[in-house]
Amino acid sequence: MKFGMLHFFEHPAGGKSERKIIREQLDCMRAAEDMGFDSIWAPEHHSTEYGFSASPMVTLAAVASVTKRIRLGSGVLVLPFNDPIRVAEEAAMVDLMSDGRLDLGVGRGFQPIEYQGFTVNQSKSREIFDEALDVIVRAWTEEPMSFKGGHFDIPEQSVRPKPLQKPHPPIWIAAISDPSFELAGRRGFNLLCSLVYGFRSERLHQLLADYRNALLDQGHNPDEREIGALCMVYCSESTEQARQDFGAPVLGYYRNVANLIAPLRQPPPEGYETYPSIRKAMQSVQWDELLSSGTLICGNPASCIRQIEELQTKYGFTQILCWTRLSGLENRKVLRSMELMQTHVIPHFKRPSHERGTLRAGLRTP
């Protein structure tokens, strides 16, 4: 199991300046390397307090300059908002600057307000995404390259620079809707999924099976691909303290995103028909329900280890993307959670399986 950290650069009410938030987020990202995390991920969001990491590549370039080992992931770069040639160029720049540490996570995005801001038809997002991804791969691997499709008409040209990793940096496709799981497998790329949106266990099992079956159908070995899960994670000295600290920030997130994902009085765009039901669930979910659902990890170190082991066994995740700093959770608490992960949780999963019981026995249970 690998461990990543995802930072959204959220800006909830509370008086912090944007500069302060950026400094805190970058400090956490830099600290992740010293604390033994395997990767850090920067998303792309616009226009709301949900997050203002407007350019994942700018963020990752900044972190590349102050780190040496940790992988740098875009989690995710929204292809319908970006020119694919520029994405290929900027991602290659980060890969070269970091000595080959880039992971390119891409997705379609989900907030109508962002699509409106970029004047992009959200119902066309899948078509745009598919073509843009083709353009990026060609720009990285063909010399010269060209492309002609329904949304992009790119004349023959050389795209510079080329990435250090060959044939190209690992690509991850974010999947929320059912067809995206199959698409990621059909293209042979790694998968990013989210526990935040409350997939029922049976449904997520089926979607992950769809992904693995699509890999096999295209001649890819599922054991050679990674499945990363975005998960809210908070570790404290006691489970009681963890639940007390994390409850309000988590519920604050769900109430906020409910309105962003599917605004009232607006029909969902084509391809996003499930969003009204997701909104309803996010508006009504309670803390006790989330704790019992297995969709987040919250507790003392022993409890967090147990919950992560259950997710790994149940779904076969190869990486957990820990989302800890959300809805204004104090930065000192975020760093303390990371320290406890460093001291107890991450070492547990880096040891051979036959040694893990001994390590867990030394920790206090919930």
Side-chain angles (χ1 to χ4, degrees):
M1 176 69 77
K2 298 175 184 176
F3 290 87
M5 287 292 299
L6 183 68
H7 294 278
F8 271 68
F9 292 73
E10 291 175 273
H11 192 197
K16 282 187 181 179
S17 68
E18 292 177 348
R19 179 178 181 275
K20 177 70 170 176
I21 291 171
I22 287 174
R23 293 314 320 165
E24 288 182 349
Q25 295 280 256
L26 290 176
D27 286 346
C28 286
M29 296 172 93
R30 183 171 57 247
E33 178 166 82
D34 296 333
M35 293 183 180
F37 286 85
D38 299 287
S39 60
I40 47 179
W41 299 76
E44 177 181 357
H45 284 294
H46 308 272
S47 306
T48 73
E49 67 276 12
Y50 185 78
F52 58 84
S53 176
S55 171
M57 291 306 152
V58 169
T59 303
L60 296 176
V63 180
S65 68
V66 293
T67 56
K68 297 183 181 302
R69 172 195 58 82
I70 200 164
R71 299 288 303 181
L72 309 172
S74 56
V76 296
L77 195 150
V78 184
L79 292 187
F81 301 161
N82 292 275
D83 180 276
I85 293 294
R86 183 169 288 278
V87 169
E89 292 172 340
E90 293 183 351
M93 282 285 292
V94 173
D95 197 50
L96 291 165
M97 292 166 62
S98 64
D99 294 325
R101 289 186 281 139
L102 178 71
D103 284 75
L104 184 71
V106 293
R108 291 190 293 142
F110 66 90
Q111 295 185 27
I113 192 173
E114 294 183 329
Y115 272 89
Q116 293 161 11
F118 283 97
T119 64
V120 176
N121 184 343
Q122 192 170 0
S123 66
K124 303 291 185 182
S125 64
R126 189 175 299 281
E127 301 170 19
I128 299 170
F129 175 89
D130 288 347
E131 287 193 13
L133 191 52
D134 285 338
V135 171
I136 293 167
V137 173
R138 289 192 187 185
W140 279 346
T141 58
E142 296 180 8
E143 180 59 34
M145 65 81 62
S146 63
F147 183 89
K148 188 173 183 62
H151 298 277
F152 300 101
D153 188 355
I154 299 170
E156 185 173 276
Q157 60 185 279
S158 294
V159 178
R160 289 287 186 270
K162 291 288 192 286
L164 181 63
Q165 298 178 87
K166 301 302 180 187
H168 54 70
I171 294 175
W172 302 67
I173 291 183
I176 296 177
S177 65
D178 294 13
S180 296
F181 285 81
E182 189 273 336
L183 170 67
R186 179 162 42 83
R187 285 184 169 267
F189 296 141
N190 297 325
L191 177 70
L192 285 173
C193 60
S194 175
L195 298 178
V196 173
Y197 299 110
F199 288 116
R200 292 187 179 276
S201 177
E202 302 81 10
R203 180 175 173 232
L204 185 53
H205 268 296
Q206 182 57 57
L207 293 172
L208 293 175
D210 292 344
Y211 167 67
R212 295 185 177 105
N213 288 335
L215 284 171
L216 289 169
D217 288 344
Q218 297 300 314
H220 304 293
N221 182 354
D223 292 336
E224 296 175 354
R225 298 296 183 268
E226 292 206 52
I227 301 177
L230 169 60
C231 185
M232 295 174 175
V233 177
Y234 186 68
C235 190
S236 188
E237 281 80 0
S238 72
T239 295
E240 180 181 3
Q241 187 64 52
R243 293 179 174 181
Q244 181 178 326
D245 290 345
F246 212 38
V250 169
L251 287 180
Y253 162 79
Y254 276 104
R255 302 301 185 253
N256 179 40
V257 80
N259 295 320
L260 295 174
I261 198 169
L264 290 170
R265 296 181 296 278
Q266 288 187 22
E270 182 181 344
Y272 296 80
E273 288 80 8
T274 61
Y275 275 14
S277 63
I278 295 175
R279 177 188 64 210
K280 183 177 180 180
M282 288 184 163
Q283 287 174 330
S284 61
V285 71
Q286 298 300 312
W287 181 228
D288 287 344
E289 293 177 71
L290 290 169
L291 287 172
S292 62
S293 68
T295 60
L296 56 80
I297 296 163
C298 180
N300 67 13
S303 176
C304 289
I305 287 172
R306 175 180 53 79
Q307 292 171 72
I308 294 169
E309 285 182 331
E310 289 174 355
L311 289 175
Q312 187 178 31
T313 300
K314 184 182 292 186
Y315 299 116
F317 297 140
T318 62
Q319 185 162 173
I320 297 290
L321 275 58
C322 303
W323 185 13
T324 300
R325 190 190 186 280
L326 52 89
S327 299
L329 183 67
E330 295 175 64
N331 209 53
R332 64 179 179 85
K333 292 182 178 180
V334 175
L335 289 168
R336 181 55 182 155
S337 175
M338 292 172 67
E339 289 170 354
L340 291 169
M341 294 284 290
Q342 171 194 15
T343 303
H344 301 294
V345 180
I346 294 176
H348 173 81
F349 289 93
K350 299 302 181 184
R351 295 178 180 232
S353 57
H354 68 275
E355 295 181 7
R356 292 179 185 172
T358 304
L359 180 62
R360 191 191 308 109
L363 298 174
R364 183 165 55 87
T365 56

